[in-house]
Amino acid sequence: MKVGCVKEIKNNEFRVGMTPDNVKSYVNAGHDVYIEKGAGEGSGFLDAEYEAAGAKMIDTAKEVWDTVEMMIKVKEPLPEEYPLFHEGLILYTYLHLAADKPQTDALLNSKVKGVAYETLIERNGSIPLLAPMSQIAGRLSIQEGAKYLEKRFGGEGVLLAGVPGTPKANIVILGGGSVGTNACKIAVGMGANVTIMDINLQRLAYLDDIFGARIQTLVSNDANIEKAVKEADLVIGCVLIPGKSAPKLFKKKYLKEMKPGAVFVDVAVDQGGCGETTKVTYHDDPIFIEDGVVHYCVGNMPGAVPRTSTIALTNATLSYGLQIAGKGLEQACKDNEVIYSAINTYDGKLTCKNVADSFDCYEYTDVRTVC
Ligand SMILES: NC(=O)c1ccc[n+]([C@@H]2O[C@H](COP(=O)([O-])OP(=O)(O)OC[C@H]3O[C@@H](n4cnc5c(N)ncnc54)[C@H](O)[C@@H]3O)[C@@H](O)[C@H]2O)c1
């Protein structure tokens, strides 16, 4: 199959869909790989490395789009890329269609086979192509929180670990899933006092087992949250109710009760945020201060560490990508049925139930009846 990858054009997006090592794997499997010149630069991968791995380096994105049968990306295509779609193209990337009607229309109208990373669900219920980004966002949330606690950014001027003779910072983590667990790991490692809350008692039991006496677990309810955030130096919001907007657990009224210069990192911002005062921010201007509390609400946190993010993402996407390229999408699905769950659009039909339910203008088609 002709497989390719272009440079991401979203603002401040430096990740890339394929590394030179990925290229080697596709080439060894007998595929032709086309890479836009400069596509990997933001993640520190040079054209010469792609070339040495067996890729054909192409001058423009348009030529790559026109040539390939399977496009491997990171972010959803932007409107300037829609005219480059062609019928039958396999587009393997994050799509996030539920919030994006223009893109959904473009994929349907051009009969692209849209294979979305974020809806590929394994048999055990895990979402393997989303997990690495949650791991990164969770770990990064503490790093960013620590930075914005510094005085020059409007923070309290507190060091997470303290030093002998000074108090350690209090970190409150709302949501003990993938992001929360990874945040917890770094927070514990930095020596802070950590409280983690969830509504799922089994999850709390798991966290209690792995972190033991180094953390406090609490059931998530308004009373516990209000009490905990009053003492907090850093609050991490990372709750998720799949398919729904995040519940607004972190209320505006808490801000005035908190320490001036405390920091709130709302990782759940991509699902609308779990703070009443959350507003989306971007890497080039990531924080704002409301009622004395520093808010960090960047929707694509892994973009801050593109080298790690690219390697982590492509570690996860490679095996499914090789199955699709090797057998064609249809046979790959028949041999590994979990791949069906990733197909959002196919031959002009919308084949993802959750996306169809998010709009009232599309008819849902069961992918197994058409693919
Ligand atoms: N901003 C970014 O760059 C970025 C990156 C990765 C993930 N995310 C987002 O982070 C959020 C969390 O992702 P995840 O992978 O950890 O999800 P997850 O499903 O692994 O964990 C979510 C947890 O929230 C808990 N929860 C639900 N309602 C709650 C409540 N009322 N109080 C406390 N806990 C509650 C669930 O029980 C679950 O344990 C998602 O919105 C995800 O999209 C953002």
Side-chain angles (χ1 to χ4, degrees), residues 334-350:
K334 287 189 176 84
D335 291 352
N336 181 2
E337 297 211 340
V338 301
I339 298 174
Y340 279 126
S341 59
I343 303 178
N344 283 214
T345 61
Y346 187 89
D347 196 23
K349 307 202 168 43
L350 189 64

Side-chain angles (χ1 to χ4, degrees), residues 181-258:
T181 305
N182 279 276
C184 194
K185 193 166 189 163
I186 301 301
V188 165
M190 289 182 86
N193 293 320
V194 183
T195 300
I196 187 159
M197 299 195 202
D198 205 294
I199 45 172
N200 180 340
L201 292 179
Q202 280 176 352
R203 193 69 201 170
L204 291 180
Y206 166 77
L207 292 165
D208 183 74
D209 278 346
I210 57 170
F211 292 109
R214 291 178 298 168
I215 63 164
Q216 155 109 312
T217 59
L218 282 179
V219 77
S220 170
N221 58 40
D222 285 348
N224 278 341
I225 295 172
E226 183 163 12
K227 237 180 284 166
V229 301
K230 270 187 200 166
E231 299 303 320
D233 301 289
L234 173 59
V235 179
I236 310 292
C238 46
V239 296
L240 176 67
I241 303 175
K244 294 204 171 151
S245 301
K248 304 286 182 216
L249 304 179
F250 185 73
K251 310 241 185 290
K252 180 170 171 52
K253 68 176 184 186
Y254 300 162
L255 300 181
K256 290 206 169 72
E257 301 169 354
M258 290 174 66

Side-chain angles (χ1 to χ4, degrees), residues 54-81:
K56 298 177 180 55
M57 302 309 292
I58 307 294
D59 284 329
T60 66
K62 182 173 180 335
E63 287 171 87
V64 181
W65 281 99
D66 286 348
T67 306
V68 300
E69 299 161 272
M70 176 168 167
M71 175 65 83
I72 303 177
K73 271 173 57 60
V74 178
K75 295 307 289 181
E76 69 283 358
L78 295 185
E80 47 271 52
E81 294 174 309

